[in-house]
Every structure is written in structure tokens, then in C-alpha cells.
Amino acid sequence: MAKKPAAKKRSTTKRQYDDILYEVKDQVAWATINRPRVLNAFREQTLDELIDALKSTREDPSIACAVVTGAGDKAFSAGGDFYAMKRLNFVNGAMWNDRMQGLAMTIRGLPIPVIAMVNGWCMGGGHELALWCDLVITADDATFGQTGARVGACPTVGATQYIAKLIGERRAKEMIFLCKRYSGAEAAEIGLANEALPA
């Protein structure tokens, strides 16, 4: 009688990263940006780790959804790490944008819903990260905004389209050109978030 093939081992529920925390618990994959000292701003390594962690959800069919959030209570993400971005030039600037687009396409291409759980600052590239997610649940006292105009930058990975689609062209221009901010409660009211809850 032929031997039965050994059963495949289920993928590990914990992966080790430096910039993020990742675990699967009760069929939910939790990806937490773990850089609270810099308001969970991301650098190249953070983007690479988020891409890897979220892609890994395809290996475990028991995962029903993924949640992206930030460590601590001060920030979901303040966007790109200013010190990492100061080192950008024409060549590695293109690689930064490739990583941003890679994360956006990873989130948009997953077969499970991806939920942004927003607390504190959700600014610039951090706000773009929330925009790529399928659902956004926010603390009512969070702060949503785009900061590019203050530093001579522009949202690069779809935010100009996503924001206008969600809240209308006039409000989108205020956010992008004038750096207008919204509280979590206001974000839910105008359509930047699905629901605002007490922090």
C-alpha cells in the first residue's frame, strides 16, 4: 500500500520584521507599522516589509481580512520618513516611488479586504496608505491630511484621484493645494473614512 503524502504545514502565523509587527490572530492578519518614535513614518525597509507581510496572506486561506495600523496612539502614519527622503535623488527617488506603488498594488490586488485602522496622525503618504485600503475605520480624534504642498511635493500614488473620487474635486484641491486637515469624525462625515469611533 502506498504511503500517504505528508500533510503540508500551515504557514507560520508570526513573521519577524524590524519596522513592522505582523501576526495572524482569529483569521485576521495584523500589520502594524512599529516606528512610534517617528510617528510611524515609513522608510524603504518599512514599505518592503509591508509588501512582504501583506503578500504572505495569500499563503493562508484561513485569513479573512487584513488590518493595517500604526503602533501607539499618536499616529497611524505620518507618511514618508523625512530623514530617509532627504537622501533621495533622481535614481533612488524612482525606487522609492516604485516601492510606494508596489505597496498600493499589493493592497489593491489582495483577494481579501484590507482595513485601515486609523489612530492619531494620518498624513501625507500615511493618508495615501489609508486610501489604498478597502475600508477605513478611524478614531474620531484622528487627523487626516496631505502635507506635500508644505515641502514641495505632490501625492504620487493615486491620491489625487482617490481623494477627489471620495470627497469631490473642490475638497480634494483644498487637501492637496492648501494642506487642509480633517478630524476622524469629519473624515467619516465627508467620506474619507467609513466610520469614526471613540479613541
Side-chain angles (χ1 to χ4, degrees):
M1 186 175 207
K3 261 189 171 180
K4 263 184 157 178
K8 283 187 179 178
K9 287 187 179 179
R10 179 176 258 172
S11 61
T12 173
T13 57
K14 281 201 175 190
R15 287 174 174 243
Q16 293 300 311
Y17 296 103
D18 293 323
D19 283 10
I20 71 168
L21 303 173
Y22 178 78
E23 71 172 326
V24 177
K25 188 175 177 185
D26 300 326
Q27 296 181 283
V28 178
W30 292 85
T32 304
I33 301 172
N34 189 30
R35 303 186 76 223
R37 189 178 58 78
V38 291
L39 298 176
N40 298 316
F42 45 75
R43 54 187 176 171
E44 295 97 325
Q45 180 176 340
T46 320
L47 297 169
D48 290 342
E49 291 180 5
L50 283 169
I51 290 168
D52 184 73
L54 291 169
K55 279 185 176 177
S56 78
T57 62
R58 291 178 173 274
E59 300 166 14
D60 185 347
S62 73
I63 295 173
C65 69
V67 176
V68 178
T69 192
D73 57 3
K74 291 184 180 171
F76 170 74
S77 175
D81 185 319
F82 183 72
Y83 296 103
M85 294 180 82
K86 271 179 33 174
R87 296 190 307 270
L88 297 179
N89 57 39
F90 180 74
V91 176
N92 60 14
M95 290 190 291
W96 176 279
N97 282 343
D98 284 348
R99 282 182 166 100
M100 289 283 288
Q101 187 168 18
L103 179 55
M105 294 302 100
T106 297
I107 291 170
R108 301 302 291 167
L110 286 180
I112 57 172
V114 181
I115 302 164
M117 190 171 87
V118 176
N119 50 303
W121 294 100
C122 179
M123 304 296 286
H127 181 235
E128 287 191 79
L129 172 57
L131 289 169
W132 303 329
C133 296
D134 298 296
L135 300 169
V136 177
I137 308 301
T138 181
D140 55 10
D141 62 352
T143 304
F144 287 72
Q146 286 293 321
T147 55
R150 288 203 170 99
V151 293
C154 162
T156 54
V157 187
T160 53
Q161 287 78 36
Y162 285 127
I163 298 171
K165 190 174 178 182
L166 291 170
I167 65 174
E169 191 176 329
R170 300 278 180 212
R171 279 191 171 134
K173 286 179 179 178
E174 284 184 328
M175 276 193 96
I176 296 166
F177 299 163
L178 307 177
C179 301
K180 182 166 182 175
R181 298 176 181 178
Y182 292 97
S183 70
E186 291 168 331
E189 192 176 306
I190 65 173
L192 278 176
N194 294 88
E195 190 169 355
L197 302 167

